[in-house]
Amino acid sequence: MYEVVHSTLGRYRIRVPRLADDLEFAEAVSNLLESLQFVKEVRINSAASSVVVDCKASAAKDSTSHSKIQEVILSCIEQANYTKQANHSDSKQTATDSFDDLDQIPEVNQWKDLGMPLLSFTLAMMAAPLEVPPLIVGTAIAGAALPWFNRAADSLINHRHPNIDLLDSVWMTMQTLQGQYIAPALKTSLVEVRRSFRGQTEKSREQKAWDLLDCLNQDVLLERDNVELSLKASELEVGDCIKVRAGDFIPVDGVIISGAGLIDCYHLTRKATPVHCGAGKEVYASSILLEGELFIEVKRTLDNTRIGLVASIMQTEPVYDTQIGLHQAEFVKNAILPTLLLGGTIFAATGNLGAAISPFQFDFGSGIPISISTTFLTALTYATENGVYIRSGRVLEVLSQIDTLVIDDSVLMYLDAIGSDVTKVINALQQQGISIYIVSYNLNQQIALDPDYILREANPQKHLNLVRGLQHQGRTVAVLQDKYNYKPEFKIGDVSISIARNESVAEETADVVLLDSQLWGLIYGIAIAKKAMQVVYENTATIVVPNLMMQIGGGMVLGVNPVWNVIVNNSSAFIAEFINSARTDFASIPAPASLSRYKQQRKPSVLKIAPGSEELALPVTIGSERWRHAT
């Protein structure tokens, strides 16, 4: 029923196959685990059939408590299974609302699942020379295609609408009945190979995430009250001073207080060249000290470190909420019946079954959503590694579209206080066509910006009115705000942005968190988001163009052998998913030089920001109401 894949003090990952396709069971498991007092967070990963449980730092202090906690977690999974079976007839609910989201989650296989597809392909290849009976070959192909038939039937019966597997099922059936055995057998084999590669990639990614998290909970040397102690990194507190020797992992994000050394940052930066670091230099968890000795002030630990956040993104894969993905899934779903109708019309007009069923192989329903999720996951991890924590694929998508930034002036004053070059960043944003508005809560503050772009004597309601007015004008609005001025539920704008202040990033409610307390990170995050969208569009073209040419020009007009249709369909999807998406060159994006080179300086009395030439001045309009800075 379950398998404990990995466990450390305070963190457990259990694989439960039933989580992959039983939403009610997954919800029951989540609810039971979250009800436990020692549990901090529960994450269900349906695609990986696993649940990750994070416990509070005070819970698992030793091996005895660790064993007891694991036992309780496993008993909750068993209880959820028992409760689900006992109340199935009463609690059965349709999954229609969640079906579209699940449609975007790619299926993964193990290499052992290739047995039947490869057998059917072998029989199909040997059918003619060895005179293998058609019944045997057809039965093997049907067995290999059984998952398609099951998914197609499940969608029709349980969800009341056809899915892409219906087209594949009809195509494979028609080809087999015509005696074209190689094409459908090759299709099942190539698709299962892709799914097996996907499963291996996901397994490797999850294992890497656990390996990274393990290195964050090692023993460290701590100086506290002039006494040197040895304890787990999970017990460290912000402000502690740790001692790192040559050969040690650095288990925290922090600043070097004293000492010097040669550091390998490959796990985080993916650059193999070690760097020399000394006092005042920021260092990050997962780095290895090759030479020297360092005393480091702790800024963030465990899940709050950059690498901890990266590991969390790898495990949870928050990339299936994008609008482009939802629109693509909706397009595919709405195109299925017209495609069947098109095939029937072609057959009625020409009597050519091969040309009639060729459009059934368009199959944009697999390669495109997979390339989207792969690209976005790569972008999210890269951005976090470089100091910009973006919460999900949907946030990344919207970030690439913003044209207006509303800034709480208290954030600007905080950034100036730590020496951030705010005016240059804002001017750079304006040069990119992003309009800037300042919301001023501080009556004594002087800002050298066109007064039409400053909302003075502001309060949260006036702030909200301004943002809504801009959105009503069709703007995509990002809001840079100080979390200390707002309640957690007061979240406005299309994208909310906050500045990290060496506290728990998990407690941040913003969509984007600038981990370096530098506004330059926003420019970098926008560049990464735009690059990700560019790759998504390129991958879409990589899949769509060859498929249209082959299915329409080759299959419907020229009568090309369907084997070539299968090869083109799968090879284009393979290139988009495993080559273009996974190797996106985000490193080619110029990193702003000011990200890590700021110095402390006195706060200026006047913040000089150039007014934008194309900005929409206040008042902004919502319907018939006008909101002005004097309101």
Side-chain angles (χ1 to χ4, degrees):
M1 177 185 171
Y2 56 76
E3 174 190 4
V4 179
V5 179
H6 191 90
S7 67
T8 59
L9 291 181
R11 184 183 294 269
Y12 307 83
R13 176 172 174 257
I14 301 101
R15 180 175 289 114
V16 188
R18 193 171 177 181
L19 292 174
D21 54 10
D22 193 331
L23 295 177
E24 291 177 304
F25 173 68
E27 184 177 2
V29 169
S30 180
N31 291 338
L32 284 170
L33 292 175
E34 288 176 347
S35 68
L36 300 175
Q37 292 184 351
F38 58 79
V39 169
K40 176 182 177 182
E41 184 181 9
V42 177
R43 299 190 297 274
I44 301 288
N45 188 336
S46 299
S49 305
S50 65
V51 56
V52 177
V53 182
D54 288 332
C55 299
K56 297 177 181 176
S58 59
K61 296 182 177 179
D62 52 43
S63 59
T64 302
S65 60
H66 170 67
S67 300
K68 290 181 179 179
I69 288 174
Q70 180 171 303
E71 183 178 345
V72 173
I73 290 173
L74 296 179
S75 68
C76 285
I77 295 174
E78 293 175 354
Q79 181 181 347
N81 180 61
Y82 173 80
T83 304
K84 175 72 169 55
Q85 291 176 339
N87 301 316
H88 179 71
S89 58
D90 297 327
S91 61
K92 184 176 181 181
Q93 301 174 353
T94 62
T96 304
D97 294 338
S98 303
F99 184 72
D100 289 337
D101 293 337
L102 291 177
D103 244 7
Q104 298 180 69
I105 301 178
E107 294 192 6
V108 296
N109 284 351
Q110 304 298 321
W111 291 110
K112 62 183 180 181
D113 297 321
L114 278 171
M116 184 58 75
L118 292 180
L119 174 62
S120 68
F121 181 63
T122 301
L123 290 174
M125 293 291 290
M126 296 295 102
L130 298 182
E131 297 184 354
V132 180
L135 181 60
I136 295 178
V137 181
T139 301
I141 293 174
L146 188 60
W148 276 267
F149 299 145
N150 290 338
R151 290 191 297 268
D154 177 72
S155 181
L156 287 172
I157 296 171
N158 296 324
H159 305 292
R160 309 297 184 191
H161 67 74
N163 64 2
I164 197 69
D165 292 303
L166 178 61
L167 293 180
D168 288 328
S169 299
V170 173
W171 183 87
M172 286 187 286
T173 300
M174 293 294 101
Q175 293 289 359
T176 303
L177 291 177
Q178 291 183 94
Q180 295 281 356
Y181 301 133
I182 295 178
L186 180 62
K187 178 181 178 64
T188 60
S189 298
L190 292 180
V191 170
E192 296 302 333
V193 166
R194 283 168 48 207
R195 289 176 179 167
S196 297
F197 267 113
R198 198 176 304 142
Q200 184 64 37
T201 301
E202 183 172 282
K203 184 177 179 180
S204 299
R205 183 176 61 245
E206 287 199 347
Q207 186 58 51
K208 178 182 177 182
W210 283 106
D211 291 342
L212 292 174
L213 291 173
D214 282 347
C215 82
L216 299 181
N217 198 31
Q218 60 180 302
D219 291 331
V220 294
L221 292 176
L222 167 70
E223 285 198 353
R224 187 177 287 173
D225 299 328
N226 296 322
V227 177
E228 189 173 279
L229 306 172
S230 177
L231 72 165
K232 290 289 184 183
S234 59
E235 300 177 57
L236 292 173
E237 299 175 357
V238 174
D240 281 340
C241 176
I242 64 171
K243 182 179 181 180
V244 180
R245 297 169 176 166
D248 290 345
F249 269 99
I250 298 176
V252 299
D253 287 357
V255 177
I256 299 175
I257 300 174
S258 63
L262 188 65
I263 295 180
D264 179 0
C265 309
Y266 179 78
H267 286 299
L268 189 66
T269 65
R270 305 176 194 176
K271 296 179 181 178
T273 305
V275 295
H276 287 278
C277 295
K281 178 70 175 181
E282 292 183 345
V283 292
Y284 303 103
S286 78
S287 301
I288 302 175
L289 181 61
L290 302 178
E291 297 177 0
E293 184 176 86
L294 301 176
F295 290 88
I296 300 172
E297 180 184 355
V298 176
K299 296 298 184 182
R300 297 192 184 94
T301 64
L302 299 176
D303 290 351
N304 288 314
T305 62
R306 288 191 186 187
I307 207 67
L309 292 169
V310 168
S312 177
I313 290 171
M314 287 180 173
Q315 291 176 328
T316 57
E317 298 181 73
V319 292
Y320 299 107
D321 59 346
T322 62
Q323 284 298 309
I324 189 172
L326 291 174
H327 291 159
Q328 185 274 339
E330 190 69 20
F331 169 79
V332 170
K333 184 169 67 176
N334 293 334
I336 292 172
L337 290 180
T339 301
L340 289 171
L341 181 61
L342 173 63
T345 302
I346 293 174
F347 181 72
T350 66
N352 186 332
L353 184 58
I357 64 176
S358 182
F360 298 174
Q361 276 291 283
F362 282 159
D363 194 13
F364 301 149
S366 60
I368 293 177
I370 294 168
S371 67
I372 291 173
S373 61
T374 305
T375 302
F376 277 30
L377 187 60
T378 304
L380 293 180
T381 55
Y382 185 84
T384 303
E385 289 168 351
N386 288 274
V388 187
Y389 176 58
I390 303 173
R391 206 164 284 279
S392 70
R394 174 56 183 159
V395 174
L396 188 79
E397 182 180 40
V398 178
L399 192 62
S400 70
Q401 303 166 356
I402 66 167
D403 52 27
T404 304
L405 176 64
V406 176
I407 305 176
D408 174 356
D409 68 339
S410 61
V411 177
L412 296 182
M413 293 302 100
Y414 169 74
L415 291 172
D416 284 325
I418 64 173
S420 177
D421 202 346
V422 172
T423 56
K424 289 185 179 179
V425 178
I426 291 181
N427 290 334
L429 289 169
Q430 290 175 324
Q431 291 173 7
Q432 294 181 16
I434 298 177
S435 300
I436 306 296
Y437 288 83
I438 306 294
V439 177
S440 177
Y441 287 79
N442 186 349
L443 296 177
N444 297 321
Q445 183 174 310
Q446 300 180 53
I447 302 176
L449 179 68
D450 189 323
D452 282 339
Y453 302 98
I454 303 175
L455 182 68
R456 296 192 181 277
E457 301 181 31
N459 57 48
Q461 186 58 52
K462 291 182 180 179
H463 194 166
L464 176 63
N465 293 340
L466 169 64
V467 173
R468 285 181 174 174
L470 291 167
Q471 289 175 312
H472 184 73
Q473 293 176 349
R475 297 298 191 97
T476 302
V477 183
V479 179
L480 176 61
Q481 59 189 38
D482 189 340
K483 69 177 182 180
Y484 297 104
N485 281 355
Y486 305 97
K487 297 179 180 179
E489 61 271 15
F490 191 80
K491 186 176 178 180
I492 59 176
D494 298 288
V495 175
S496 58
I497 306 167
S498 70
I499 304 293
R501 301 194 182 184
N502 297 328
E503 297 160 343
S504 173
V505 179
E507 296 176 2
E508 295 278 358
T509 60
D511 299 316
V512 179
V513 182
L514 306 181
L515 302 177
D516 288 308
S517 299
Q518 288 285 291
L519 199 55
W520 283 111
L522 178 57
I523 293 180
Y524 202 39
I526 292 173
I528 292 172
K530 290 183 176 180
K531 178 68 173 181
M533 294 305 299
Q534 175 189 336
V535 174
V536 165
Y537 295 137
E538 290 174 354
N539 284 343
T540 300
T542 298
I543 294 173
V544 170
V545 173
N547 273 273
L548 283 177
M549 293 176 63
M550 179 57 69
Q551 310 308 334
I552 295 179
M556 296 173 61
V557 178
L558 300 178
V560 172
N561 191 302
V563 169
W564 290 107
N565 295 358
V566 173
I567 293 174
V568 169
N569 181 275
N570 282 274
S571 59
S572 62
F574 187 91
I575 291 172
E577 178 180 359
F578 296 106
I579 299 179
N580 291 357
S581 299
R583 298 183 181 178
T584 302
D585 188 17
F586 290 110
S588 63
I589 301 173
S594 297
L595 268 175
S596 58
R597 298 180 183 175
Y598 62 86
K599 297 181 179 179
Q600 296 288 336
Q601 59 183 349
R602 185 172 57 86
K603 181 174 69 175
S605 58
V606 178
L607 181 63
K608 297 182 179 180
I609 302 173
S613 60
E614 298 180 357
E615 295 177 354
L616 298 178
L618 295 174
V620 292
T621 306
I622 309 177
S624 61
E625 298 178 316
R626 295 167 67 84
W627 303 94
R628 194 170 179 81
H629 61 271
T631 302

